[in-house]
Each structure stands twice: as structure tokens, then as C-alpha cells.
Amino acid sequence: MSMDSAEDIKKHVKVYLMVFAALMVLTVITVGVASLSLTIPLAIALALVIATVKGSLVASYFMHLVSEKSPIYWTLMLTAAFFAVLMFVPLLAMLDSIGR
Amino acid sequence: MEIPYTVDTRADTGLNNVKLGIWLFLASEVMLFGGLFSSYVLLRVGAEAGTWPQGAEILSIPLATFNTIVLIGSSVTMVMAWASLKLRDLFKYRLYMGTTVALALVFLIVKAFEYADKFSHHLYPSESTFLGIYFLITGLHGLHIVGGIIVNSYFLLPGVKMWHTAPERFTNRVEAAGLYWHFVDLVWIFLFPVLYLL
């Protein structure tokens, strides 16, 4: 992250505190949503959407991904592709009807 | 021999090796936890109807919510520790890094209480598939917390002497430790709803 001047860093510190506040609010919302009597698919979808937003905030601002260099993005895109394959395995297992 | 590119950026990547190295390590960590998340989904969708408990039936949501707040708080203090070094304020660095380590210890203590409560009710990993995967994933995450405490404590106490001889290199080290710590926080952000709330 290209932050050289003290002024720049002070501005970023303000952003960190705003992100912290947003993460706290989203944590409360996560627990609040879970206490509602929602159908299981809707509850799972909502919980994962909120977790993804929270994760994106952490990655973007605390891990500085909003202003990172391209080799890091390429590394993460490759990782995301392999991660997607891992998540695809349970789906393949569900669709597998051989021997049934 | 001097380790190259700990501060200077390489012409080919535009990054110093510290940054690229820690991100490659984190990529491997994504695959480690990804494999376990995939296993969780496979076990859950493969379980017979009515046999998979809701996390809230067995686990304590208030304790996990408290731990979520603690871990997110520690992520903020970690990034503030790094920002303090950028601002050349060693006192604030020590304050924020010390708080980060303290919050990590609080997380582990709460987790230990949670585990003890489960064991006192004879809820062991062998009791059910849910408890097996719960203890496996949270245990592995807990080991990552322990690793973070060791590294951050090193940078808080003996490792800080590098600040006086090579401040930029030390700042990059703390940034790398911070990236690891935020990743540990990020994993918990997904573990909390998946294991406790769904």
C-alpha cells in the first residue's frame, strides 16, 4: 500500500475505525438474523452474504487489498479458482448417482 | 548472507519478497481451511435428515459473539500497530501490539471455557460428526491463534530491537504478521455463522 506521508496514514486510520464500526454492526446483524425464524436456505444465504461482506471489508482495508499490486491479485485469483473446485466437490458428490 | 528484497521492491513483481511470500503462504492457508469447509458441507448435506444439530442447540452463541468482537478488535489494534510504526511512534506501536496479544489471549481463554463446558457434558469429538468437525476446525483455528500470539509477542518484545537498526524492514515484518493475523480473523468471520448459527 503506497502510504508515505503522515497525513495519508492518519486518513487511513480513520478508515480503519469506520471499518471496525461496520464490522461490529454486521456482527450484531448476523446474530439478529439467526434469531429470526427463517427457512434454512434463506438463513444460510443471509449468513453467508453478511460473512462475505465482513470478510471483504477485512481483506480490502485491513489487508490493503484495495490498493495492492497485480501479482497479489493474480495469486489470489488462482487461489479462488482452486477454492471453487474444493467447494464444487460436495456438489459433485450430491449429483453422483453411480451405485445407487 | 543478506536476505534480498526485504525492503526494496523487485523490478519484476513490483513487491518486496516479504509481501509476496506472506501472500503465497496465505494462499496455502486458504486451501487448508477450504478443504475443511468443503468437508463440512459434504458431511452436512450427506447427513440423514434430522441428525445434524443446529449449532445453537449445543454451542454457546453469546460466548462466540463475544469472541467474534474480541478477534475483530484485535485485527483493528494490529493494523493500528503497523500504522503507528509508519508514523514513527514506537510507544503507540507497543500499546497496540500489546493489546493485540492480550485480545488473542482473551479469545483463547474463552475458547478454553467453551471446550471445558462441552467436555463436562461428555460432548467429545467422537460423540457425533458435527462435534468431530467442530473440534477439528475450531482446534486448527485455535492453533493459528497460538501461532499468531507467538509471532506477535516476538515482535512486541525481543524482535522490536530491529526497529532501532532497520525500521523499514521491521515495519514490513509487522505488516506480514498483520496480514496473517487478519487472515485468522477472516476465517473466524466465516466459522462463526457456519458452526454456531446455522
Side-chain angles (χ1 to χ4, degrees), chain B residues 94-124:
Chain B
R94 288 182 200 269
L95 189 69
Y96 284 124
M97 189 57 113
T99 309
T100 305
V101 173
L103 288 171
L105 287 169
V106 168
F107 181 93
L108 279 187
I109 290 166
V110 171
K111 205 82 205 120
F113 272 109
E114 268 193 275
Y115 276 17
D117 180 62
K118 298 293 151 288
F119 296 152
S120 71
H121 290 91
H122 302 286
L123 295 172
Y124 299 107

Side-chain angles (χ1 to χ4, degrees), chain A residues 3 9 20 68 71-72 86, chain B residues 13 19 23 27 38 76 82 86:
Chain A
M3 297 199 311
I9 293 163
F20 176 54
E68 207 37 277
I72 303 291
L86 273 180
Chain B
T13 62
K19 181 73 79 69
W23 273 110
S38 176
V76 179
W82 171 78
K86 284 286 194 183

Side-chain angles (χ1 to χ4, degrees), chain B residues 115 118-119 122-136:
Chain B
Y115 276 17
K118 298 293 151 288
F119 296 152
H122 302 286
L123 295 172
Y124 299 107
S126 58
E127 193 66 26
S128 69
T129 310
F130 170 77
L131 283 169
I133 196 90
Y134 162 77
F135 279 112
L136 177 65

Side-chain angles (χ1 to χ4, degrees), chain B residues 16-31:
Chain B
N16 61 57
N17 282 354
V18 180
K19 181 73 79 69
L20 188 59
I22 192 71
W23 273 110
L24 288 172
F25 171 67
L26 293 182
S28 75
E29 290 279 89
V30 169
M31 298 314 289

Side-chain angles (χ1 to χ4, degrees), chain A residues 78-93:
Chain A
L78 191 63
T79 309
F82 282 112
F83 183 81
V85 171
L86 273 180
M87 290 297 130
F88 199 57
V89 170
L91 183 64
L92 290 178

Side-chain angles (χ1 to χ4, degrees), chain A residues 12-29:
Chain A
H12 280 86
V13 165
K14 282 181 189 167
V15 174
Y16 298 149
L17 295 176
M18 284 192 285
V19 170
F20 176 54
L23 289 170
M24 289 295 107
V25 170
L26 287 167
T27 300
V28 172
I29 291 173

